[in-house]
Amino acid sequence: MMDKETHEQYEYARNRLRQKKYLFYHFVLFLIGSLFMFVANELLKYGEPEAWDIWASTVWFFIIILHFIKVYVIDRFMNKQWEREQIDRLMAKQQNRLRQLEAKIDSEKN
């Protein structure tokens, strides 16, 4: 049986792998979908005279860029360790504020 820290590392690695796998699937789906939209609009003349396939592919590509940023930038730095540090910082702030309030109450009593 794994200890807690090893299990957390395993879960983090598994979640990161899942994120990267879904990003890859999303990209492959984008390529296939864009090809399908191109064939439908340009070759089969569906939706003529509009060039809607270019607009749809551009919007979809922008969404993939956002997905990429989420996986490789945001989630990479805002992981469990970052969450723990933020919680510890906020808890320390709360404890400090409670001590200040207790000191203020004690000084008002005297």
Side-chain angles (χ1 to χ4, degrees):
M1 185 163 168
M2 290 188 264
D3 64 349
K4 185 177 179 179
E5 186 174 324
T6 305
H7 182 70
E8 285 180 4
Q9 290 173 347
Y10 170 78
E11 285 298 319
Y12 174 74
R14 193 172 72 115
N15 287 335
R16 290 291 293 156
L17 182 61
R18 185 181 311 131
Q19 288 176 334
K20 290 176 181 180
K21 183 172 76 171
Y22 287 146
L23 177 62
F24 178 75
Y25 287 153
H26 190 183
F27 183 71
V28 169
L29 185 63
F30 162 74
L31 292 176
I32 293 169
S34 293
L35 180 63
F36 175 76
M37 289 186 295
F38 174 80
V39 168
N41 187 235
E42 302 296 330
L43 301 179
L44 301 177
K45 306 296 184 197
Y46 181 80
E48 282 279 322
E50 305 285 327
W52 59 268
D53 61 317
I54 295 171
W55 288 105
S57 294
T58 302
V59 169
W60 198 351
F61 185 70
F62 180 71
I63 292 169
I64 285 196
I65 290 173
L66 293 177
H67 191 172
F68 179 85
I69 289 170
K70 181 188 179 305
V71 170
Y72 283 99
V73 177
I74 295 172
D75 288 350
R76 183 175 179 190
F77 296 108
M78 295 180 145
N79 54 23
K80 288 286 184 190
Q81 180 181 352
W82 179 84
E83 286 178 16
R84 274 192 226 112
E85 289 171 1
Q86 294 300 312
I87 289 170
D88 291 344
R89 186 178 62 81
L90 291 172
M91 287 176 64
K93 251 185 181 178
Q94 288 174 345
Q95 291 296 325
N96 189 25
R97 182 71 179 140
L98 285 173
R99 276 189 240 113
Q100 289 174 351
L101 288 172
E102 287 173 353
K104 185 177 180 182
I105 290 172
D106 288 341
S107 68
E108 288 176 1
K109 284 182 181 178
N110 296 331

